[in-house]
Amino acid sequence: MAKIIDGKRISAEVKDECKERVKREQLDITLAVIQVGNDPASTVYVGNKKKACEYIGIHSLAYELPEKTSEKELLELVEKLNKDDEVHGILVQLPLPEHIDEDKVIRKISPKKDVDGFHPQSVGALSIGQAGFVSCTPAGIVQLLKRSGVETEGKECVIVGRSNIVGKPMALLMLRENATVTVCHSRTKNLKEVTKRADILIVAIGKPKFITAAYVKEGAVVIDVGIHRNENNKLCGDVDFDSVAPLASAITPVPGGVGPMTIAMLMNNCVEAKGIQEA
């Protein structure tokens, strides 16, 4: 049976390190979180972010805007926060209502305050190996691998999914960790053949239990980024855990694997924000 990669434990380690650094260096950090509308999942995420800030010793400002907020009003708020020297990180909770252009809002956030790591400048810096914020979920996966003793150098890493938030930055990060990287997507031919080559298989496709044992090489490390509710309303991932776990050498569960790392790395980015702004 595979070793279970415990995201709760590792995320707690990261948060404790952030808390210790804030205390040791007496850092005065403020994160501004903007939520438009009251999407239930977004409300839960925003609540978790506030709790994490409180735990670490970071101030958080909450802007809970009505669904009908115009794009212009939102962009003006972001610009105001960009100019506020007391605010070190700006996070706009996605998804936004349909009448607001997400890309325009992401581009409006100053790259020096882009703690989500979504701004094109942040992504560009990552692609050429320069300093900047890294998207929280991929950064969290790297920490899961490192802190679980998974060797990445020279390993064959296959990423299933090419989203801007997970798949693409994940590929860049694994290249930085000296893995040999293949990215698969909906147009990939012979997907099973490609995934069965993977020493490290990272799955972020948004299809419940899509990856079964038939896609996995014996002894592979499997990282499941998906989160869904099954027919019994239980949480599950993109990987069919029950069929894959006996084959893998290590695997992340859902829940309790990748999920907790996203907020932990957001906190890490907030702590790093001061240095990035002063550089």
Side-chain angles (χ1 to χ4, degrees):
M1 189 71 178
K3 170 188 171 182
I4 304 298
I5 296 176
D6 186 348
K8 285 185 183 171
R9 179 186 62 77
I10 295 169
S11 71
E13 275 177 21
V14 172
K15 285 193 277 195
D16 284 343
E17 287 163 16
C18 291
K19 183 178 183 177
E20 173 57 34
R21 186 173 161 197
V22 166
K23 190 178 171 186
R24 186 177 66 248
E25 298 179 23
Q26 297 183 312
L27 298 174
D28 189 13
I29 300 165
T30 299
L31 170 66
V33 180
I34 303 169
Q35 181 182 357
V36 184
N38 53 4
D39 175 75
S42 291
T43 301
V44 171
Y45 289 138
V46 167
N48 289 341
K49 285 164 188 174
K50 284 182 196 165
K51 280 185 208 155
C53 284
E54 204 174 309
Y55 178 74
I56 284 156
I58 292 173
H59 310 295
S60 66
L61 301 174
Y63 294 87
E64 288 157 7
L65 309 179
E67 184 91 16
K68 63 180 193 301
T69 301
S70 71
E71 182 177 280
K72 182 171 179 283
E73 288 169 315
L74 179 56
L75 292 170
E76 282 170 356
L77 173 58
V78 171
E79 186 53 34
K80 182 181 144 204
L81 295 168
N82 280 340
K83 290 175 177 169
D84 187 343
D85 291 339
E86 299 298 307
V87 172
H88 305 94
I90 301 170
L91 187 152
V92 179
Q93 183 64 40
L94 303 178
L96 289 167
E98 284 184 7
H99 65 277
I100 297 175
D101 183 339
E102 283 185 5
D103 185 55
K104 203 183 275 188
V105 174
I106 289 166
R107 285 170 180 271
K108 190 69 170 174
I109 298 168
S110 163
K112 291 194 168 185
K113 297 188 179 188
D114 169 40
V115 287
D116 254 338
F118 293 164
H119 191 284
Q121 190 170 313
S122 303
V123 178
L126 174 61
S127 71
I128 57 173
Q130 291 186 352
F133 292 112
V134 176
S135 188
C136 301
T137 301
I141 291 167
V142 170
Q143 288 302 313
L144 283 178
L145 294 170
K146 285 186 169 179
R147 292 172 189 242
S148 301
V150 175
E151 182 63 53
T152 54
E153 188 164 328
K155 299 293 182 184
E156 183 111 13
C157 173
V158 175
I159 298 160
V160 187
R162 55 176 168 182
S163 73
N164 290 339
I165 289 173
V166 180
K168 288 174 189 169
M170 193 75 246
L172 292 167
L173 282 175
M174 293 307 288
L175 283 171
R176 194 161 86 179
E177 297 300 322
N178 298 316
T180 299
V181 180
T182 303
V183 179
C184 299
H185 45 78
S186 57
R187 302 288 187 274
T188 298
K189 291 185 173 134
N190 306 320
L191 181 63
K192 284 180 185 169
E193 287 174 28
V194 182
T195 57
K196 283 196 92 144
R197 296 202 310 257
D199 302 309
I200 301 167
L201 180 61
I202 300 171
V203 188
I205 49 169
K207 291 185 177 179
K209 298 190 179 183
F210 182 83
I211 297 293
T212 62
Y215 290 82
V216 180
K217 176 173 85 172
E218 190 169 352
V221 174
V222 180
I223 306 290
D224 188 351
V225 185
I227 187 154
H228 316 274
R229 288 202 177 270
N230 67 13
E231 59 281 3
N232 302 319
N233 208 33
K234 278 187 70 179
L235 289 171
C236 66
D238 289 347
V239 174
D240 180 12
F241 185 91
D242 292 341
S243 80
V244 171
L247 199 61
S249 61
I251 189 168
T252 57
V254 176
V258 172
M261 294 303 296
T262 301
I263 288 179
M265 297 315 291
L266 171 67
M267 294 299 105
N268 185 69
N269 278 353
C270 289
V271 174
E272 294 292 331
K274 271 222 149 157
I276 286 171
Q277 279 155 44
E278 287 160 9

